[in-house]
Amino acid sequence: MDRRNVLLTLTVSTIITPLSDCLDFAGLRPDSDTDQDRNDAEENSVADNHENEQQADKLNDDSEIDSNTGADDKSDANDVVDGDESLDPDGVERRDAGTDVLKFGDLQIIDYEEQIEELEYGDKQISYTEEVENADDGAYESVMVEVRVYDEDGHELGSRRDLTPSLAGNETWRFEITPHSRPEEIADHDIAVIAEQ
């Protein structure tokens, strides 16, 4: 092969190879699978996204259901756990934010109220007062009422407790709890009664 043919062959291959790639990219070459590959890739991507969304939805649904009870795990503000026999003092202590425990065994908080009192120098103080009733003949020891207070973002500001060393059968005890937080800081609260028998 002479020099001239070698140069011609190199020149033609230099032009045809990039041109062939352009035709592949544009999907104009008859033996090109580029469009089909691209369509397959898009369909797979859509299918994968759909499957991922379904899995995410399932995980969200599962996380909202308590595995033991099948109940909704999210607690709304001021949920009430009323007379639950399975609650022990530790269970009450670990209750979800915003959950009231108004009954513990035969003890019951009788309709409590929130009061705001004006102090000197223009300050205000909030307090929670009412009574705990023992509806049983047996006595309880170390009866305690706890109030937890929260800001508008749901963060706990603190908790305060009132305690009586004992509460005889068929008697009531009046509690008063004054949180350290100012009334304007408090957006929500919960309350619970806990005792030992």
Side-chain angles (χ1 to χ4, degrees):
M1 204 187 267
D2 65 5
R3 189 172 184 191
R4 189 176 176 159
N5 287 339
V6 170
L7 287 174
L8 185 59
T9 304
L10 287 174
T11 306
V12 170
S13 66
T14 305
I15 294 171
I16 291 181
T17 303
L19 183 58
S20 175
D21 289 342
C22 290
L23 292 173
D24 278 347
F25 179 74
L28 299 175
R29 239 178 67 189
D31 60 341
S32 171
D33 293 332
T34 306
D35 281 343
Q36 185 61 38
D37 292 345
R38 195 175 307 127
N39 289 341
D40 290 347
E42 287 175 4
E43 287 174 12
N44 289 340
S45 175
V46 169
D48 288 346
N49 286 342
H50 182 66
E51 185 176 331
N52 289 342
E53 287 173 8
Q54 286 179 330
Q55 288 175 348
D57 289 345
K58 185 177 184 328
L59 285 174
N60 287 339
D61 291 344
D62 290 347
S63 68
E64 293 174 8
I65 304 298
D66 182 12
S67 60
N68 295 329
T69 62
D72 191 348
D73 194 39
K74 293 181 185 173
S75 62
D76 296 330
N78 296 324
D79 283 351
V80 178
V81 178
D82 210 13
D84 188 343
E85 296 293 327
S86 65
L87 282 179
D88 58 7
D90 289 337
V92 174
E93 293 279 347
R94 291 187 308 265
R95 73 191 185 276
D96 291 335
T99 301
D100 293 337
V101 180
L102 302 178
K103 289 177 94 176
F104 187 89
D106 292 307
L107 296 175
Q108 181 173 356
I109 296 176
I110 303 168
D111 198 31
Y112 70 97
E113 61 185 13
E114 179 181 283
Q115 297 176 338
I116 298 177
E117 180 183 349
E118 288 275 346
L119 304 175
E120 55 183 304
Y121 307 114
D123 285 342
K124 293 180 180 178
Q125 173 179 291
I126 193 167
S127 64
Y128 302 90
T129 60
E130 205 39 85
E131 294 182 337
V132 173
E133 177 184 43
N134 181 359
D136 189 38
D137 293 333
Y140 278 88
E141 296 179 10
S142 301
V143 177
M144 179 185 72
V145 174
E146 178 187 48
V147 172
R148 301 183 301 192
V149 293
Y150 305 90
D151 65 15
E152 60 186 15
D153 295 324
H155 300 117
E156 185 175 328
L157 298 171
S159 65
R160 290 295 300 267
R161 298 173 175 181
D162 197 358
L163 176 74
T164 184
S166 65
L167 184 59
N170 300 309
E171 290 195 0
T172 59
W173 161 61
R174 184 168 182 81
F175 66 86
E176 181 171 354
I177 299 174
T178 306
H180 289 297
S181 304
R182 296 180 176 183
E184 59 270 16
E185 298 172 326
I186 300 172
D188 199 6
H189 72 279
D190 60 43
I191 190 167
V193 59
I194 312 169
E196 293 179 11
Q197 194 166 24

